[in-house]
Amino acid sequence: MRTLITTAFVSLDGVVEAPGGEPGYRNSGWTFKNVEFLPEAFEIKGREQQEATAMLLGRTSYEAFSPVWPGMADFADYKVMPKYVVSTTLGEGDLVDDWGPTGILRSLDEVAALKETEGGPIIVHGSATLNRGLSDAGLIDRYHLLVFPLLLGAGKRLFSDTDKDTQKLQLVEHAVYANGLQKQVFDVVR
């Protein structure tokens, strides 16, 4: 069974919307506008590229990343990695042709089936709506969180407000950086 890892930039109050400057959100770009950049705080991002063997995205994140990431040296390892987009509306003709092999999954059941295949870890970037669904369905195995010392108020959240049973997490790695960022890596306890 493959491990499904969610990686997210998250504000202290749980917002994950538009960390890199995506349009349409009043606090867009909050990860670089409001907190001093310290390279050591982002070491985990390079490690994720080395350890992941596939990427899972929601439609909105795919449409935001696919025109940009294929040409970025910072994300070179992701270019050849298989990608899966979870969408009920995206068609094969909507996929870019310069970002490696990409397939479309139509449901969380198809994500669960993908997890049952042979291979290494699958990393989920962005994809707030998808992440909430994956979490509620019990499909996430690990969380890689970079928590920013900001309160953003309104915005898309990493976790839903669905009434559900308690899900226990085990802290397996953490660090605090001089700029206030906190790295928190949690495994889901089954």
Side-chain angles (χ1 to χ4, degrees):
M1 181 174 208
R2 299 174 82 168
T3 302
L4 188 62
I5 302 168
T6 284
T7 182
F9 295 138
V10 60
S11 68
L12 190 58
D13 57 350
V15 174
V16 294
E17 187 168 357
E22 300 80 359
Y25 177 60
R26 71 182 295 239
N27 291 316
S28 185
W30 50 270
T31 58
F32 60 86
K33 288 181 182 175
N34 300 302
V35 178
E36 176 191 3
F37 178 77
L38 294 177
E40 61 270 22
F42 296 89
E43 171 276 333
I44 193 168
K45 306 316 285 174
R47 192 168 13 126
E48 289 169 349
Q49 285 189 69
Q50 296 299 311
E51 294 174 357
T53 60
M55 185 187 304
L56 184 68
L57 298 160
R59 180 194 50 82
T60 301
S61 291
Y62 177 79
E63 289 175 341
F65 298 160
S66 65
V68 180
W69 281 21
M72 293 180 69
D74 288 345
F75 302 116
D77 291 329
Y78 286 139
K79 187 166 184 166
V80 296
M81 186 179 295
K83 283 161 267 325
Y84 301 92
V85 184
V86 181
S87 173
T88 58
T89 59
L90 202 66
E92 293 292 330
D94 297 318
L95 301 175
V96 299
D97 58 6
D98 65 341
W99 204 23
T102 305
I104 300 173
L105 304 177
R106 299 292 182 197
S107 68
L108 293 180
D109 287 339
E110 290 186 23
V111 174
L114 175 64
K115 283 187 62 176
E116 295 294 330
T117 63
E118 292 294 319
I122 303 166
I123 193 92
V124 183
H125 279 280
S127 309
T129 302
L130 175 60
N131 266 302
R132 289 189 297 272
L134 293 167
S135 179
D136 288 349
L139 294 173
I140 296 175
D141 301 299
R142 176 174 273 196
Y143 292 93
H144 288 186
L145 306 178
L146 282 179
V147 181
F148 284 69
L150 302 169
L151 300 175
L152 299 174
K156 292 179 185 175
R157 309 265 180 212
L158 181 60
F159 301 103
S160 76
D161 58 4
T162 301
D163 187 16
K164 60 185 175 188
D165 292 337
T166 301
Q167 186 174 54
K168 185 168 174 32
L169 305 175
Q170 180 180 359
L171 184 66
V172 295
E173 182 181 343
H174 69 285
V176 178
Y177 302 96
N179 61 0
L181 253 69
Q182 297 176 42
K183 174 177 61 179
Q184 301 174 358
V185 176
F186 293 99
D187 280 345
V188 175
V189 177
R190 305 240 186 255

